[in-house]
Amino acid sequence: GLLKIDHVGIAVADLDEALRFYAENFGLHCVHQETNEEQGVREAMLAVGDGSGPRLQLLAPARPDSAIAKFIDRSGPGLQQLAYTVADVETAADALRARGLRLLYDTPKRGTAGSRINFVHPKDAGGVLVELVEPA
Ligand code: V0V
């Protein structure tokens, strides 16, 4: 099952500009940053409060044909995904598939900090792109 909210993902056009915006206006700071070539994304994780709760993930396109670039072209910057922590991403994905929900990948892909991830198609989850995250 779902253990907790892992992070909320926000699509941004420019990662450095967004990091400045969140630091100056909300006092939120980056605790991890990486480029995920497979996902075509530059991403940063921001801690909220003492950092024990869900994180904010800023997602900027690393290439024009990426999922984030397409999202921004269609919808503009804003909330793009809701991610849940799971103990085992394959077990969680199988349980959802068995209920008829479409998972985007047949096998998990690599996410932030060596996590394993998969997604439920937003059309099968009430208009929300749901990510499953098994932390490293
Ligand atoms: C598209 N749609 C969304 C959506 N993206 N609805 C809610 N939230 C989103 N993020 C809607 C869109 O408005 C269309 O609705 C419909 O879905 C289009 O579906 P499609 O043609 O099948 O798909 P695409 O080409 O628009 O792509 C959407 C998906 C794509 C979700 C399939 O974005 C994808 O593969 N996402 C998974 C990978 C990803 O997001 N990577 C970046 C984060 P209408 O107009 O038909 O009603 S990487 C990450 O999170 C990492 C590394 C991490 O957390 O560790």
Side-chain angles (χ1 to χ4, degrees), residues 7 36 39 41 43 45 57 59 67-68 70-71 74-75 79-81 104-105 110-112 115 117 119 121-123 127-129 131 133:
H7 63 266
N36 187 318
Q39 294 291 334
V41 72
E43 56 113 338
M45 285 293 191
Q57 183 183 42
L59 297 156
I68 293 299
K70 191 169 178 189
F71 179 87
R74 181 160 45 201
S75 311
L79 286 176
Q80 191 259 351
Q81 58 168 260
L104 293 185
Y105 309 135
R110 204 189 66 78
T112 305
S115 58
I117 62 175
F119 295 85
H121 196 284
K123 291 294 171 190
V128 178
L129 175 60
E131 181 180 353
V133 184

PDB file of all heavy atoms in Angstrom, residues 7 36 39 41 43 45 57 59 67-68 70-71 74-75 79-81 104-105 110-112 115 117 119 121-123 127-129 131 133, ligand 1:
ATOM      1  N   HIS A   7       6.449  13.210  -2.309  1.00  0.00           N
ATOM      2  CA  HIS A   7       6.678  14.581  -2.764  1.00  0.00           C
ATOM      3  C   HIS A   7       5.553  15.040  -3.666  1.00  0.00           C
ATOM      4  O   HIS A   7       4.752  14.238  -4.145  1.00  0.00           O
ATOM      5  CB  HIS A   7       8.038  14.723  -3.474  1.00  0.00           C
ATOM      6  CG  HIS A   7       8.181  13.913  -4.736  1.00  0.00           C
ATOM      7  ND1 HIS A   7       8.737  12.654  -4.765  1.00  0.00           N
ATOM      8  CD2 HIS A   7       7.860  14.192  -6.028  1.00  0.00           C
ATOM      9  CE1 HIS A   7       8.750  12.201  -6.010  1.00  0.00           C
ATOM     10  NE2 HIS A   7       8.217  13.111  -6.799  1.00  0.00           N
ATOM     11  N   ASN A  36      18.093  13.953 -14.495  1.00  0.00           N
ATOM     12  CA  ASN A  36      17.707  12.592 -14.846  1.00  0.00           C
ATOM     13  C   ASN A  36      17.561  12.554 -16.363  1.00  0.00           C
ATOM     14  O   ASN A  36      16.568  13.023 -16.923  1.00  0.00           O
ATOM     15  CB  ASN A  36      16.388  12.222 -14.140  1.00  0.00           C
ATOM     16  CG  ASN A  36      16.010  10.762 -14.326  1.00  0.00           C
ATOM     17  OD1 ASN A  36      16.136  10.218 -15.426  1.00  0.00           O
ATOM     18  ND2 ASN A  36      15.513  10.134 -13.273  1.00  0.00           N
ATOM     19  N   GLN A  39      14.502  10.704 -17.916  1.00  0.00           N
ATOM     20  CA  GLN A  39      13.239  11.434 -17.804  1.00  0.00           C
ATOM     21  C   GLN A  39      13.307  12.799 -18.483  1.00  0.00           C
ATOM     22  O   GLN A  39      12.287  13.497 -18.572  1.00  0.00           O
ATOM     23  CB  GLN A  39      12.862  11.605 -16.328  1.00  0.00           C
ATOM     24  CG  GLN A  39      12.530  10.307 -15.600  1.00  0.00           C
ATOM     25  CD  GLN A  39      11.223   9.690 -16.072  1.00  0.00           C
ATOM     26  OE1 GLN A  39      10.333  10.388 -16.558  1.00  0.00           O
ATOM     27  NE2 GLN A  39      11.093   8.383 -15.946  1.00  0.00           N
ATOM     28  N   VAL A  41      14.802  15.525 -17.389  1.00  0.00           N
ATOM     29  CA  VAL A  41      14.418  16.512 -16.388  1.00  0.00           C
ATOM     30  C   VAL A  41      15.607  16.938 -15.522  1.00  0.00           C
ATOM     31  O   VAL A  41      16.502  16.140 -15.227  1.00  0.00           O
ATOM     32  CB  VAL A  41      13.264  15.937 -15.515  1.00  0.00           C
ATOM     33  CG1 VAL A  41      13.740  14.859 -14.578  1.00  0.00           C
ATOM     34  CG2 VAL A  41      12.567  17.022 -14.735  1.00  0.00           C
ATOM     35  N   GLU A  43      15.973  18.281 -11.819  1.00  0.00           N
ATOM     36  CA  GLU A  43      15.057  18.356 -10.679  1.00  0.00           C
ATOM     37  C   GLU A  43      15.755  18.710  -9.386  1.00  0.00           C
ATOM     38  O   GLU A  43      16.929  18.423  -9.202  1.00  0.00           O
ATOM     39  CB  GLU A  43      14.267  17.052 -10.565  1.00  0.00           C
ATOM     40  CG  GLU A  43      15.142  15.817 -10.444  1.00  0.00           C
ATOM     41  CD  GLU A  43      15.010  15.169  -9.102  1.00  0.00           C
ATOM     42  OE1 GLU A  43      14.596  15.837  -8.149  1.00  0.00           O
ATOM     43  OE2 GLU A  43      15.357  13.974  -9.006  1.00  0.00           O
ATOM     44  N   MET A  45      14.921  18.825  -5.040  1.00  0.00           N
ATOM     45  CA  MET A  45      14.045  18.512  -3.907  1.00  0.00           C
ATOM     46  C   MET A  45      14.218  19.593  -2.844  1.00  0.00           C
ATOM     47  O   MET A  45      15.348  19.898  -2.435  1.00  0.00           O
ATOM     48  CB  MET A  45      14.415  17.161  -3.306  1.00  0.00           C
ATOM     49  CG  MET A  45      13.971  15.976  -4.141  1.00  0.00           C
ATOM     50  SD  MET A  45      12.170  15.850  -4.174  1.00  0.00           S
ATOM     51  CE  MET A  45      12.003  14.229  -4.929  1.00  0.00           C
ATOM     52  N   GLN A  57       9.135  18.961  -5.164  1.00  0.00           N
ATOM     53  CA  GLN A  57      10.073  18.643  -6.238  1.00  0.00           C
ATOM     54  C   GLN A  57       9.846  19.625  -7.392  1.00  0.00           C
ATOM     55  O   GLN A  57       8.760  19.672  -7.955  1.00  0.00           O
ATOM     56  CB  GLN A  57       9.846  17.208  -6.732  1.00  0.00           C
ATOM     57  CG  GLN A  57      10.832  16.757  -7.803  1.00  0.00           C
ATOM     58  CD  GLN A  57      10.518  15.348  -8.309  1.00  0.00           C
ATOM     59  OE1 GLN A  57       9.361  15.012  -8.526  1.00  0.00           O
ATOM     60  NE2 GLN A  57      11.535  14.533  -8.480  1.00  0.00           N
ATOM     61  N   LEU A  59      10.605  20.559 -11.140  1.00  0.00           N
ATOM     62  CA  LEU A  59      10.942  19.782 -12.339  1.00  0.00           C
ATOM     63  C   LEU A  59      11.051  20.720 -13.534  1.00  0.00           C
ATOM     64  O   LEU A  59      10.059  21.347 -13.926  1.00  0.00           O
ATOM     65  CB  LEU A  59       9.839  18.759 -12.608  1.00  0.00           C
ATOM     66  CG  LEU A  59       9.611  17.682 -11.544  1.00  0.00           C
ATOM     67  CD1 LEU A  59       8.185  17.139 -11.630  1.00  0.00           C
ATOM     68  CD2 LEU A  59      10.616  16.554 -11.724  1.00  0.00           C
ATOM     69  N   ALA A  67       8.685  14.921 -21.064  1.00  0.00           N
ATOM     70  CA  ALA A  67       7.340  14.975 -20.468  1.00  0.00           C
ATOM     71  C   ALA A  67       7.088  16.345 -19.827  1.00  0.00           C
ATOM     72  O   ALA A  67       5.982  16.894 -19.944  1.00  0.00           O
ATOM     73  CB  ALA A  67       7.181  13.864 -19.428  1.00  0.00           C
ATOM     74  N   ILE A  68       8.088  16.893 -19.161  1.00  0.00           N
ATOM     75  CA  ILE A  68       7.891  18.192 -18.488  1.00  0.00           C
ATOM     76  C   ILE A  68       7.742  19.323 -19.516  1.00  0.00           C
ATOM     77  O   ILE A  68       6.908  20.220 -19.351  1.00  0.00           O
ATOM     78  CB  ILE A  68       9.057  18.484 -17.509  1.00  0.00           C
ATOM     79  CG1 ILE A  68       9.042  17.481 -16.340  1.00  0.00           C
ATOM     80  CG2 ILE A  68       8.981  19.914 -16.972  1.00  0.00           C
ATOM     81  CD1 ILE A  68       7.787  17.500 -15.495  1.00  0.00           C
ATOM     82  N   LYS A  70       6.528  19.033 -22.505  1.00  0.00           N
ATOM     83  CA  LYS A  70       5.199  18.873 -23.097  1.00  0.00           C
ATOM     84  C   LYS A  70       4.111  19.384 -22.142  1.00  0.00           C
ATOM     85  O   LYS A  70       3.163  20.046 -22.554  1.00  0.00           O
ATOM     86  CB  LYS A  70       4.971  17.394 -23.432  1.00  0.00           C
ATOM     87  CG  LYS A  70       3.753  17.141 -24.280  1.00  0.00           C
ATOM     88  CD  LYS A  70       3.705  15.717 -24.806  1.00  0.00           C
ATOM     89  CE  LYS A  70       2.421  15.513 -25.617  1.00  0.00           C
ATOM     90  NZ  LYS A  70       2.199  14.122 -25.984  1.00  0.00           N
ATOM     91  N   PHE A  71       4.296  19.077 -20.845  1.00  0.00           N
ATOM     92  CA  PHE A  71       3.326  19.529 -19.843  1.00  0.00           C
ATOM     93  C   PHE A  71       3.258  21.057 -19.816  1.00  0.00           C
ATOM     94  O   PHE A  71       2.180  21.651 -19.811  1.00  0.00           O
ATOM     95  CB  PHE A  71       3.709  18.982 -18.459  1.00  0.00           C
ATOM     96  CG  PHE A  71       2.774  19.405 -17.357  1.00  0.00           C
ATOM     97  CD1 PHE A  71       1.630  18.677 -17.073  1.00  0.00           C
ATOM     98  CD2 PHE A  71       3.039  20.541 -16.610  1.00  0.00           C
ATOM     99  CE1 PHE A  71       0.756  19.069 -16.064  1.00  0.00           C
ATOM    100  CE2 PHE A  71       2.172  20.946 -15.603  1.00  0.00           C
ATOM    101  CZ  PHE A  71       1.033  20.211 -15.325  1.00  0.00           C
ATOM    102  N   ARG A  74       1.547  22.565 -22.810  1.00  0.00           N
ATOM    103  CA  ARG A  74       0.089  22.406 -22.813  1.00  0.00           C
ATOM    104  C   ARG A  74      -0.589  23.168 -21.686  1.00  0.00           C
ATOM    105  O   ARG A  74      -1.601  23.813 -21.876  1.00  0.00           O
ATOM    106  CB  ARG A  74      -0.285  20.922 -22.731  1.00  0.00           C
ATOM    107  CG  ARG A  74      -1.788  20.673 -22.746  1.00  0.00           C
ATOM    108  CD  ARG A  74      -2.128  19.246 -23.149  1.00  0.00           C
ATOM    109  NE  ARG A  74      -1.273  18.301 -22.461  1.00  0.00           N
ATOM    110  CZ  ARG A  74      -1.052  17.067 -22.889  1.00  0.00           C
ATOM    111  NH1 ARG A  74      -1.631  16.623 -23.973  1.00  0.00           N
ATOM    112  NH2 ARG A  74      -0.272  16.278 -22.202  1.00  0.00           N
ATOM    113  N   SER A  75      -0.031  23.070 -20.471  1.00  0.00           N
ATOM    114  CA  SER A  75      -0.742  23.554 -19.283  1.00  0.00           C
ATOM    115  C   SER A  75      -0.079  24.742 -18.605  1.00  0.00           C
ATOM    116  O   SER A  75      -0.632  25.305 -17.664  1.00  0.00           O
ATOM    117  CB  SER A  75      -0.856  22.429 -18.258  1.00  0.00           C
ATOM    118  OG  SER A  75      -1.332  21.249 -18.859  1.00  0.00           O
ATOM    119  N   LEU A  79       1.390  22.449 -10.773  1.00  0.00           N
ATOM    120  CA  LEU A  79       1.377  21.096 -10.204  1.00  0.00           C
ATOM    121  C   LEU A  79       1.351  20.058 -11.321  1.00  0.00           C
ATOM    122  O   LEU A  79       0.460  20.087 -12.169  1.00  0.00           O
ATOM    123  CB  LEU A  79       0.144  20.907  -9.324  1.00  0.00           C
ATOM    124  CG  LEU A  79       0.158  21.601  -7.960  1.00  0.00           C
ATOM    125  CD1 LEU A  79      -1.186  21.384  -7.251  1.00  0.00           C
ATOM    126  CD2 LEU A  79       1.292  21.062  -7.102  1.00  0.00           C
ATOM    127  N   GLN A  80       2.285  19.120 -11.284  1.00  0.00           N
ATOM    128  CA  GLN A  80       2.376  18.124 -12.356  1.00  0.00           C
ATOM    129  C   GLN A  80       2.150  16.714 -11.854  1.00  0.00           C
ATOM    130  O   GLN A  80       1.682  15.857 -12.594  1.00  0.00           O
ATOM    131  CB  GLN A  80       3.765  18.244 -13.030  1.00  0.00           C
ATOM    132  CG  GLN A  80       3.947  17.465 -14.336  1.00  0.00           C
ATOM    133  CD  GLN A  80       4.725  16.146 -14.167  1.00  0.00           C
ATOM    134  OE1 GLN A  80       5.286  15.880 -13.101  1.00  0.00           O
ATOM    135  NE2 GLN A  80       4.745  15.336 -15.219  1.00  0.00           N
ATOM    136  N   GLN A  81       2.498  16.449 -10.594  1.00  0.00           N
ATOM    137  CA  GLN A  81       2.410  15.070 -10.101  1.00  0.00           C
ATOM    138  C   GLN A  81       2.304  15.023  -8.579  1.00  0.00           C
ATOM    139  O   GLN A  81       2.721  15.943  -7.877  1.00  0.00           O
ATOM    140  CB  GLN A  81       3.654  14.286 -10.507  1.00  0.00           C
ATOM    141  CG  GLN A  81       4.939  14.906  -9.990  1.00  0.00           C
ATOM    142  CD  GLN A  81       6.141  13.995 -10.145  1.00  0.00           C
ATOM    143  OE1 GLN A  81       6.539  13.350  -9.181  1.00  0.00           O
ATOM    144  NE2 GLN A  81       6.705  13.960 -11.342  1.00  0.00           N
ATOM    145  N   LEU A 104       2.444   3.429 -16.379  1.00  0.00           N
ATOM    146  CA  LEU A 104       3.137   3.924 -17.578  1.00  0.00           C
ATOM    147  C   LEU A 104       4.267   2.998 -18.015  1.00  0.00           C
ATOM    148  O   LEU A 104       4.560   2.898 -19.196  1.00  0.00           O
ATOM    149  CB  LEU A 104       3.688   5.334 -17.340  1.00  0.00           C
ATOM    150  CG  LEU A 104       2.641   6.430 -17.165  1.00  0.00           C
ATOM    151  CD1 LEU A 104       3.316   7.794 -17.054  1.00  0.00           C
ATOM    152  CD2 LEU A 104       1.646   6.439 -18.319  1.00  0.00           C
ATOM    153  N   TYR A 105       4.908   2.314 -17.062  1.00  0.00           N
ATOM    154  CA  TYR A 105       6.054   1.477 -17.410  1.00  0.00           C
ATOM    155  C   TYR A 105       5.793   0.021 -17.017  1.00  0.00           C
ATOM    156  O   TYR A 105       5.197  -0.247 -15.970  1.00  0.00           O
ATOM    157  CB  TYR A 105       7.316   1.958 -16.685  1.00  0.00           C
ATOM    158  CG  TYR A 105       7.595   3.441 -16.830  1.00  0.00           C
ATOM    159  CD1 TYR A 105       7.957   4.205 -15.727  1.00  0.00           C
ATOM    160  CD2 TYR A 105       7.509   4.075 -18.073  1.00  0.00           C
ATOM    161  CE1 TYR A 105       8.220   5.570 -15.852  1.00  0.00           C
ATOM    162  CE2 TYR A 105       7.761   5.435 -18.203  1.00  0.00           C
ATOM    163  CZ  TYR A 105       8.116   6.179 -17.084  1.00  0.00           C
ATOM    164  OH  TYR A 105       8.370   7.520 -17.213  1.00  0.00           O
ATOM    165  N   ARG A 110      14.414   4.573 -13.021  1.00  0.00           N
ATOM    166  CA  ARG A 110      15.197   5.195 -11.964  1.00  0.00           C
ATOM    167  C   ARG A 110      14.690   6.606 -11.681  1.00  0.00           C
ATOM    168  O   ARG A 110      14.519   7.406 -12.587  1.00  0.00           O
ATOM    169  CB  ARG A 110      16.675   5.263 -12.360  1.00  0.00           C
ATOM    170  CG  ARG A 110      17.630   5.347 -11.178  1.00  0.00           C
ATOM    171  CD  ARG A 110      19.061   5.633 -11.611  1.00  0.00           C
ATOM    172  NE  ARG A 110      19.176   6.959 -12.204  1.00  0.00           N
ATOM    173  CZ  ARG A 110      19.219   8.093 -11.510  1.00  0.00           C
ATOM    174  NH1 ARG A 110      19.188   8.063 -10.173  1.00  0.00           N
ATOM    175  NH2 ARG A 110      19.306   9.257 -12.111  1.00  0.00           N
ATOM    176  N   GLY A 111      14.444   6.891 -10.408  1.00  0.00           N
ATOM    177  CA  GLY A 111      14.031   8.232  -9.996  1.00  0.00           C
ATOM    178  C   GLY A 111      15.085   8.880  -9.117  1.00  0.00           C
ATOM    179  O   GLY A 111      16.225   8.404  -9.022  1.00  0.00           O
ATOM    180  N   THR A 112      14.689   9.943  -8.474  1.00  0.00           N
ATOM    181  CA  THR A 112      15.580  10.714  -7.604  1.00  0.00           C
ATOM    182  C   THR A 112      16.395   9.857  -6.657  1.00  0.00           C
ATOM    183  O   THR A 112      15.842   8.984  -5.990  1.00  0.00           O
ATOM    184  CB  THR A 112      14.737  11.643  -6.702  1.00  0.00           C
ATOM    185  OG1 THR A 112      13.923  12.422  -7.518  1.00  0.00           O
ATOM    186  CG2 THR A 112      15.619  12.532  -5.850  1.00  0.00           C
ATOM    187  N   SER A 115      16.090   6.071  -6.376  1.00  0.00           N
ATOM    188  CA  SER A 115      14.796   5.441  -6.111  1.00  0.00           C
ATOM    189  C   SER A 115      14.323   4.699  -7.356  1.00  0.00           C
ATOM    190  O   SER A 115      14.850   4.884  -8.449  1.00  0.00           O
ATOM    191  CB  SER A 115      13.767   6.503  -5.699  1.00  0.00           C
ATOM    192  OG  SER A 115      13.629   7.482  -6.711  1.00  0.00           O
ATOM    193  N   ILE A 117      10.860   4.028  -9.622  1.00  0.00           N
ATOM    194  CA  ILE A 117       9.581   4.732  -9.783  1.00  0.00           C
ATOM    195  C   ILE A 117       8.729   4.145 -10.905  1.00  0.00           C
ATOM    196  O   ILE A 117       9.226   3.535 -11.835  1.00  0.00           O
ATOM    197  CB  ILE A 117       9.800   6.243 -10.054  1.00  0.00           C
ATOM    198  CG1 ILE A 117      10.571   6.483 -11.367  1.00  0.00           C
ATOM    199  CG2 ILE A 117      10.546   6.901  -8.889  1.00  0.00           C
ATOM    200  CD1 ILE A 117      10.708   7.963 -11.765  1.00  0.00           C
ATOM    201  N   PHE A 119       4.483   5.205 -12.673  1.00  0.00           N
ATOM    202  CA  PHE A 119       3.412   6.202 -12.646  1.00  0.00           C
ATOM    203  C   PHE A 119       2.094   5.555 -13.051  1.00  0.00           C
ATOM    204  O   PHE A 119       2.064   4.689 -13.933  1.00  0.00           O
ATOM    205  CB  PHE A 119       3.684   7.325 -13.649  1.00  0.00           C
ATOM    206  CG  PHE A 119       4.898   8.167 -13.369  1.00  0.00           C
ATOM    207  CD1 PHE A 119       6.160   7.768 -13.808  1.00  0.00           C
ATOM    208  CD2 PHE A 119       4.791   9.376 -12.686  1.00  0.00           C
ATOM    209  CE1 PHE A 119       7.276   8.560 -13.585  1.00  0.00           C
ATOM    210  CE2 PHE A 119       5.907  10.172 -12.449  1.00  0.00           C
ATOM    211  CZ  PHE A 119       7.153   9.762 -12.899  1.00  0.00           C
ATOM    212  N   HIS A 121      -1.302   6.372 -15.074  1.00  0.00           N
ATOM    213  CA  HIS A 121      -1.729   7.370 -16.065  1.00  0.00           C
ATOM    214  C   HIS A 121      -2.773   8.304 -15.440  1.00  0.00           C
ATOM    215  O   HIS A 121      -3.704   7.840 -14.783  1.00  0.00           O
ATOM    216  CB  HIS A 121      -2.319   6.692 -17.309  1.00  0.00           C
ATOM    217  CG  HIS A 121      -2.412   7.642 -18.467  1.00  0.00           C
ATOM    218  ND1 HIS A 121      -3.379   8.619 -18.551  1.00  0.00           N
ATOM    219  CD2 HIS A 121      -1.626   7.804 -19.572  1.00  0.00           C
ATOM    220  CE1 HIS A 121      -3.196   9.328 -19.661  1.00  0.00           C
ATOM    221  NE2 HIS A 121      -2.137   8.846 -20.300  1.00  0.00           N
ATOM    222  N   PRO A 122      -2.606   9.617 -15.657  1.00  0.00           N
ATOM    223  CA  PRO A 122      -3.541  10.570 -15.033  1.00  0.00           C
ATOM    224  C   PRO A 122      -5.003  10.335 -15.423  1.00  0.00           C
ATOM    225  O   PRO A 122      -5.906  10.636 -14.625  1.00  0.00           O
ATOM    226  CB  PRO A 122      -3.044  11.944 -15.509  1.00  0.00           C
ATOM    227  CG  PRO A 122      -2.085  11.688 -16.626  1.00  0.00           C
ATOM    228  CD  PRO A 122      -1.540  10.309 -16.404  1.00  0.00           C
ATOM    229  N   LYS A 123      -5.233   9.763 -16.609  1.00  0.00           N
ATOM    230  CA  LYS A 123      -6.616   9.505 -17.013  1.00  0.00           C
ATOM    231  C   LYS A 123      -7.248   8.365 -16.210  1.00  0.00           C
ATOM    232  O   LYS A 123      -8.469   8.212 -16.212  1.00  0.00           O
ATOM    233  CB  LYS A 123      -6.666   9.174 -18.518  1.00  0.00           C
ATOM    234  CG  LYS A 123      -6.352  10.364 -19.412  1.00  0.00           C
ATOM    235  CD  LYS A 123      -7.428  11.432 -19.278  1.00  0.00           C
ATOM    236  CE  LYS A 123      -7.017  12.710 -19.996  1.00  0.00           C
ATOM    237  NZ  LYS A 123      -7.904  13.829 -19.689  1.00  0.00           N
ATOM    238  N   GLY A 127      -7.413  12.454 -13.122  1.00  0.00           N
ATOM    239  CA  GLY A 127      -6.746  13.655 -13.627  1.00  0.00           C
ATOM    240  C   GLY A 127      -5.457  14.008 -12.911  1.00  0.00           C
ATOM    241  O   GLY A 127      -4.916  15.092 -13.108  1.00  0.00           O
ATOM    242  N   VAL A 128      -4.978  13.066 -12.061  1.00  0.00           N
ATOM    243  CA  VAL A 128      -3.740  13.305 -11.316  1.00  0.00           C
ATOM    244  C   VAL A 128      -2.682  12.302 -11.768  1.00  0.00           C
ATOM    245  O   VAL A 128      -2.935  11.091 -11.768  1.00  0.00           O
ATOM    246  CB  VAL A 128      -3.967  13.149  -9.791  1.00  0.00           C
ATOM    247  CG1 VAL A 128      -2.663  13.355  -9.028  1.00  0.00           C
ATOM    248  CG2 VAL A 128      -5.032  14.120  -9.307  1.00  0.00           C
ATOM    249  N   LEU A 129      -1.515  12.805 -12.170  1.00  0.00           N
ATOM    250  CA  LEU A 129      -0.389  11.918 -12.456  1.00  0.00           C
ATOM    251  C   LEU A 129       0.160  11.439 -11.107  1.00  0.00           C
ATOM    252  O   LEU A 129       0.728  12.220 -10.349  1.00  0.00           O
ATOM    253  CB  LEU A 129       0.690  12.660 -13.257  1.00  0.00           C
ATOM    254  CG  LEU A 129       1.982  11.878 -13.523  1.00  0.00           C
ATOM    255  CD1 LEU A 129       1.725  10.601 -14.311  1.00  0.00           C
ATOM    256  CD2 LEU A 129       3.002  12.763 -14.247  1.00  0.00           C
ATOM    257  N   GLU A 131       2.629   9.147  -8.913  1.00  0.00           N
ATOM    258  CA  GLU A 131       3.917   8.460  -8.976  1.00  0.00           C
ATOM    259  C   GLU A 131       4.066   7.550  -7.762  1.00  0.00           C
ATOM    260  O   GLU A 131       3.671   7.909  -6.653  1.00  0.00           O
ATOM    261  CB  GLU A 131       5.060   9.495  -8.987  1.00  0.00           C
ATOM    262  CG  GLU A 131       6.447   8.865  -9.064  1.00  0.00           C
ATOM    263  CD  GLU A 131       7.580   9.895  -9.065  1.00  0.00           C
ATOM    264  OE1 GLU A 131       7.307  11.099  -9.139  1.00  0.00           O
ATOM    265  OE2 GLU A 131       8.740   9.462  -8.977  1.00  0.00           O
ATOM    266  N   VAL A 133       6.974   5.708  -5.539  1.00  0.00           N
ATOM    267  CA  VAL A 133       8.412   5.834  -5.284  1.00  0.00           C
ATOM    268  C   VAL A 133       8.859   4.803  -4.250  1.00  0.00           C
ATOM    269  O   VAL A 133       8.369   4.810  -3.113  1.00  0.00           O
ATOM    270  CB  VAL A 133       8.765   7.229  -4.713  1.00  0.00           C
ATOM    271  CG1 VAL A 133      10.277   7.366  -4.543  1.00  0.00           C
ATOM    272  CG2 VAL A 133       8.237   8.338  -5.605  1.00  0.00           C
TER     273      VAL A 133
HETATM  274  C1  V0V B   1      -0.871  14.903 -19.217  1.00  0.00           C
HETATM  275  N1  V0V B   1      -2.118  14.938 -18.744  1.00  0.00           N
HETATM  276  C2  V0V B   1      -2.085  15.175 -17.439  1.00  0.00           C
HETATM  277  C3  V0V B   1      -0.715  15.273 -17.115  1.00  0.00           C
HETATM  278  N2  V0V B   1       0.007  15.101 -18.239  1.00  0.00           N
HETATM  279  N3  V0V B   1      -3.044  15.302 -16.519  1.00  0.00           N
HETATM  280  C4  V0V B   1      -2.662  15.535 -15.259  1.00  0.00           C
HETATM  281  N4  V0V B   1      -1.363  15.646 -14.864  1.00  0.00           N
HETATM  282  C5  V0V B   1      -0.382  15.529 -15.764  1.00  0.00           C
HETATM  283  N5  V0V B   1       0.888  15.639 -15.381  1.00  0.00           N
HETATM  284  C6  V0V B   1      -3.341  14.752 -19.520  1.00  0.00           C
HETATM  285  C7  V0V B   1      -3.395  15.701 -20.699  1.00  0.00           C
HETATM  286  O1  V0V B   1      -3.926  16.950 -20.334  1.00  0.00           O
HETATM  287  C8  V0V B   1      -4.276  14.962 -21.663  1.00  0.00           C
HETATM  288  O2  V0V B   1      -5.608  15.135 -21.298  1.00  0.00           O
HETATM  289  C9  V0V B   1      -3.889  13.521 -21.438  1.00  0.00           C
HETATM  290  O3  V0V B   1      -3.324  13.464 -20.109  1.00  0.00           O
HETATM  291  C10 V0V B   1      -2.818  13.134 -22.456  1.00  0.00           C
HETATM  292  O4  V0V B   1      -2.455  11.851 -22.289  1.00  0.00           O
HETATM  293  P1  V0V B   1      -1.367  11.169 -23.266  1.00  0.00           P
HETATM  294  O5  V0V B   1      -1.496  11.721 -24.652  1.00  0.00           O
HETATM  295  O6  V0V B   1      -1.462   9.714 -23.026  1.00  0.00           O
HETATM  296  O7  V0V B   1      -0.006  11.624 -22.683  1.00  0.00           O
HETATM  297  P2  V0V B   1       0.998  12.845 -22.778  1.00  0.00           P
HETATM  298  O8  V0V B   1       1.871  12.721 -23.987  1.00  0.00           O
HETATM  299  O9  V0V B   1       0.349  14.141 -22.526  1.00  0.00           O
HETATM  300  O10 V0V B   1       1.905  12.514 -21.539  1.00  0.00           O
HETATM  301  C11 V0V B   1       1.369  12.410 -20.257  1.00  0.00           C
HETATM  302  C12 V0V B   1       2.163  11.341 -19.471  1.00  0.00           C
HETATM  303  C13 V0V B   1       3.630  11.781 -19.518  1.00  0.00           C
HETATM  304  C14 V0V B   1       1.628  11.330 -18.069  1.00  0.00           C
HETATM  305  C15 V0V B   1       1.982   9.977 -20.120  1.00  0.00           C
HETATM  306  O11 V0V B   1       3.784  13.072 -18.950  1.00  0.00           O
HETATM  307  C16 V0V B   1       4.558  10.852 -18.808  1.00  0.00           C
HETATM  308  O12 V0V B   1       5.024   9.867 -19.389  1.00  0.00           O
HETATM  309  N6  V0V B   1       4.845  11.145 -17.512  1.00  0.00           N
HETATM  310  C17 V0V B   1       5.670  10.276 -16.691  1.00  0.00           C
HETATM  311  C18 V0V B   1       7.077  10.752 -16.657  1.00  0.00           C
HETATM  312  C19 V0V B   1       7.219  12.127 -16.068  1.00  0.00           C
HETATM  313  O13 V0V B   1       6.270  12.839 -15.801  1.00  0.00           O
HETATM  314  N7  V0V B   1       8.505  12.494 -15.898  1.00  0.00           N
HETATM  315  C20 V0V B   1       8.881  13.797 -15.367  1.00  0.00           C
HETATM  316  C21 V0V B   1       9.038  13.695 -13.909  1.00  0.00           C
HETATM  317  P3  V0V B   1      -6.731  15.491 -22.389  1.00  0.00           P
HETATM  318  O14 V0V B   1      -6.293  16.768 -23.006  1.00  0.00           O
HETATM  319  O15 V0V B   1      -6.691  14.319 -23.334  1.00  0.00           O
HETATM  320  O16 V0V B   1      -7.981  15.566 -21.576  1.00  0.00           O
HETATM  321  S1  V0V B   1      10.454  12.721 -13.483  1.00  0.00           S
HETATM  322  C22 V0V B   1      10.298  12.368 -11.814  1.00  0.00           C
HETATM  323  O17 V0V B   1       9.162  12.588 -11.262  1.00  0.00           O
HETATM  324  C23 V0V B   1      11.388  11.887 -11.101  1.00  0.00           C
HETATM  325  C24 V0V B   1      12.704  11.706 -11.737  1.00  0.00           C
HETATM  326  C25 V0V B   1      11.248  11.538  -9.675  1.00  0.00           C
HETATM  327  O18 V0V B   1      10.224  11.843  -9.068  1.00  0.00           O
HETATM  328  O19 V0V B   1      12.170  10.932  -9.114  1.00  0.00           O
END
